[in-house]
Amino acid sequence: MSAHGDHDLGHTVAGWTGTAVGVLGSAVLGAGVVTASAAIVWLGAAVVATAALTCWALHLAGWGKATGPRPVGAQDWRTRDTAARHGHPGCLGCRMAGRGGVGAAAAVPTPASRPAEV
């Protein structure tokens, strides 16, 4: 059990990569503000936008996760989400990509299958 208890915080390859690129973009954007350089501000904004697109692409490739907790065996950040190909129900990113049809609902863990909280 971790310091946060036994629940899924959603650490995924898509999440970590998007966060790292977003932090880099924020740092570049901040440097542009400090130096009063419009070019560096625009570069930082472009890197932040790239972070969002990178995170979305990795989510669609199966390196993200659906909304809600995953089964305990699938909570490692390196676990690939095999249900992503068909889309996650209620996921805006999947709907924007044209995924998330009726068959996607079966991939979401039901409340009965989630581990009991202690």
Side-chain angles (χ1 to χ4, degrees):
M1 181 179 281
S2 71
H4 301 289
D6 190 24
H7 61 275
D8 187 19
L9 295 174
H11 299 295
T12 63
V13 172
W16 283 114
T17 304
T19 299
V21 175
V23 166
L24 175 67
S26 296
V28 171
L29 202 133
V33 169
V34 169
T35 61
S37 170
I40 296 176
V41 168
W42 282 109
L43 176 64
V47 174
V48 169
T50 301
L53 294 174
T54 301
C55 191
W56 183 40
L58 287 170
H59 171 79
L60 294 175
W63 291 108
K65 74 177 225 47
T67 303
R70 297 174 285 188
V72 175
Q75 290 183 1
D76 185 68
W77 70 277
R78 296 168 297 221
T79 302
R80 193 153 191 192
D81 181 11
T82 56
R85 168 176 273 166
H86 305 293
H88 302 114
C91 176
L92 176 62
C94 289
R95 284 197 315 262
M96 288 173 56
R99 300 180 185 181
V102 178
V108 175
T110 61
S113 67
R114 294 194 320 207
E117 295 193 24
V118 180

